[in-house]
């Protein structure tokens, strides 16, 4: 599995960025522009996402192995690793399985626990678009509206639409592979023991992904974690409060 990635180049220890479910490296463009002013940044398309290959198996051991292999190809011995949501679980898995590769860990709005299934409406919306390939994004949005009420979520999903051979829009994500192995996506990260390196866990003040009730689970897997809450942010905290997100990372990485 050779993951597609965006590499800004530069010297020093890189910041490696892993997106969440149905995301891609493209979602981080505005942040990358800021970070690349002072360091090398590598934004990754995880398997079945973005421009990376489609392959069965979404368990976190497999996804972490993909990232580990990418670091090998890029001759990166150690990096600062940032993961959001599903990407945060990939990052936790890699940090547990190969701690020597992760100098500092940033986990954005996810905890090392199993979550209940919550994407059924999204899968239905995406399958509806698949059955009736739209001519443009406006039509795709109209189709998804029957299943997903929130415009911001529909806009986020639409970032995965590309032109197919017959000029209609198709999904670039490996929808079959993702849906078939969705149980692994909502499961706990893989790996054993704790990652004891410097860790920042960022959570959105309006998100329920990292509530106070799951902090004991966070502490058991990430005992050195500093918990920081970004007010007025939901699950997509880096998109909803980009300045606060940037500032929180800057403080942690400068310490």
């Amino acid at each position: 599995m050779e993951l597609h990635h965006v590499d800004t180049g530069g010297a020093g220890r890189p910041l490696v960025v892993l997106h969440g479910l149905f995301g891609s490296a493209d979602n981080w463009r505005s942040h990358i522009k800021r970070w690349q002013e002072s360091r090398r940044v590598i934004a990754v398309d995880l398997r079945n996402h973005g421009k990376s290959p489609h392959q069965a198996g979404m368990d976190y051991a497999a996804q972490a192995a993909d990232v580990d292999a990418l670091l090998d190809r890029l001759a990166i011995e150690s990096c600062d690793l940032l993961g959001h949501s599903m990407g945060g679980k990939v990052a936790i898995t890699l940090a547990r399985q190969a701690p020597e590769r992760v100098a500092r860990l940033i986990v954005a709005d996810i905890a090392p626990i199993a979550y209940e299934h919550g994407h059924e409406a999204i899968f239905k919306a995406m399958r509806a678009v698949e059955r009736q390939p739209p001519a443009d994004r406006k039509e795709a949005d109209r189709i998804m509206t029957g299943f997903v009420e929130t415009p911001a979520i529909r806009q986020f999903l639409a970032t995965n639409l590309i032109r197919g051979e017959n000029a209609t829009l198709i999904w670039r994500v490996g929808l079959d592979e993702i849906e078939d192995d969705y149980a692994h996506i909502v499961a706990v990260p893989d790996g054993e023991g704790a990652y004891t390196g410097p860790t920042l866990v960022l959570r959105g003040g309006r998100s329920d992904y990292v509530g106070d009730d799951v902090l004991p689970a966070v502490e058991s897997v990430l005992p050195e974690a500093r918990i920081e809450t970004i007010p007025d942010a939901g699950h997509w905290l880096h998109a909803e409060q980009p300045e606060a997100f940037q500032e929180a990372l800057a403080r942690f990485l400068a310490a």
Side-chain angles (χ1 to χ4, degrees), residues 194-201 218-219 221-227 252:
Y195 170 72
T196 58
T199 304
L200 172 66
V201 174
V218 173
E219 184 178 359
V221 175
L222 306 170
E224 299 301 316
R226 185 170 88 198
I227 312 296
F252 173 68

Side-chain angles (χ1 to χ4, degrees), residues 3-63:
L3 298 178
H4 175 266
H5 61 283
V6 176
D7 188 346
T8 65
R13 186 167 60 213
L15 173 65
V16 176
V17 184
L18 308 179
H19 61 79
L21 182 62
F22 298 123
S24 72
D26 291 342
N27 302 144
W28 296 88
R29 281 179 294 185
S30 60
H31 285 292
I32 292 170
K33 288 180 181 178
R34 294 273 296 274
W35 291 326
Q36 69 181 1
E37 295 174 2
S38 58
R39 66 182 306 160
R40 181 183 181 186
V41 184
I42 298 166
V44 180
D45 284 343
L46 297 170
R47 63 166 60 192
N48 299 311
H49 290 78
K51 298 178 182 177
S52 282
H54 296 177
Q55 184 170 311
M58 291 294 293
D59 60 277
Y60 289 109
Q63 293 198 65

Side-chain angles (χ1 to χ4, degrees), residues 21 23 70 90 94 106-107 109 117 121 126 158 187 214 238 249 251:
L21 182 62
L70 173 62
V90 177
L94 181 59
I106 306 103
V107 179
D109 211 57
H117 290 211
M126 297 179 76
V214 304
H238 56 293
L249 256 70
R251 287 192 299 271

